[in-house]
Amino acid sequence: MTVSDENLARAAAAGDGAAFASLLDRHYDRLFAFCFRLTGSRGEAEDLTQDICAALPAKLQRYDAQARLTTWLYRVAVNAAHDRRRKHASYAKATTGWGDWERGRIAAAQNTNESLDWLHTAMRSLTPDLRDTLALVLDDMTHAQAAEVLGVSEGTISWRMSEVRKALRALRNQEDQT
């Protein structure tokens, strides 16, 4: 005597492993073929079918036997395929542009590093007073704070920074000409 799909589904939902195995034996190939038609790819169909089979024990808890099991399985497969497509679309949308962004970030970091290397080298050519002033200002100190640290007036710091800009500009122009 053959047990109906609906009875096997109820037994599988109750935790009967043999009933679940029987359901898979009966419907796995049909489910895979349907997933293949939904995805158009053997690999995707295999993944989708495996995902459905893994989720099936929990889903069987909600199977109410108002529709034939095969109809219900098709609905589960369609929903799983839609979920998979949405997940892939969301992932693709979220990752679009990341490669370009990362290349831009690396280029910007490289430019920043090159600029900092140039600045550190150029600072060696400054007088000690100008170098000390620049170091403090580069460390995000205000002119007033730098003046306090160096024991000079705020106006002196502003003048020194003006001199630093002139000296660095002259050094850059000299390098560009050679």
Side-chain angles (χ1 to χ4, degrees):
M1 178 168 114
T2 303
V3 179
S4 73
D5 287 342
E6 289 72 21
N7 287 338
L8 283 175
R10 279 196 237 15
D16 184 343
F20 184 72
S22 293
L23 275 177
L24 286 184
D25 283 345
R26 286 185 187 180
H27 299 288
Y28 186 87
D29 291 338
R30 181 183 304 157
L31 182 61
F32 172 78
F34 183 64
C35 288
F36 182 77
R37 287 190 300 278
L38 288 173
T39 64
S41 161
R42 181 177 181 82
E44 279 290 313
E46 289 170 349
D47 290 346
L48 181 60
T49 305
Q50 289 301 313
D51 290 348
I52 292 167
C53 289
L56 205 50
K59 290 189 180 296
L60 281 170
Q61 301 291 325
R62 294 185 297 273
Y63 174 64
D64 59 9
Q66 289 183 355
R68 287 187 12 221
L69 181 73
T70 53
T71 303
W72 179 81
L73 270 175
Y74 284 138
R75 185 77 246 156
V76 168
V78 167
N79 289 339
H82 286 303
D83 290 346
R84 192 175 191 83
R85 281 188 213 113
R86 275 192 300 272
K87 188 187 302 181
H88 285 305
S90 294
Y91 177 79
K93 187 176 180 181
T95 58
T96 297
W98 278 101
D100 295 337
W101 177 84
E102 179 64 8
R103 282 191 293 278
R105 187 194 66 77
I106 289 170
Q110 187 175 10
N111 287 341
T112 300
N113 288 339
E114 289 171 4
S115 295
L116 288 173
D117 288 345
W118 180 86
L119 181 61
H120 288 129
T121 302
M123 284 176 71
R124 290 188 207 123
S125 69
L126 298 174
T127 64
D129 288 343
L130 294 180
R131 188 176 336 134
D132 294 347
T133 302
L134 179 58
L136 291 171
V137 171
L138 287 175
D139 206 35
D140 290 331
M141 282 196 174
T142 65
H143 287 199
Q145 292 168 327
E148 188 177 329
V149 169
L150 295 175
V152 297
S153 72
E154 188 175 343
T156 300
I157 298 297
S158 297
W159 174 83
R160 286 180 182 176
M161 286 306 298
S162 174
E163 292 299 307
V164 165
R165 283 189 286 279
K166 285 181 200 173
L168 294 178
R169 195 176 307 115
L171 186 60
R172 176 64 83 179
N173 287 338
Q174 182 182 359
E175 289 175 359
D176 289 345
Q177 290 175 1
T178 56

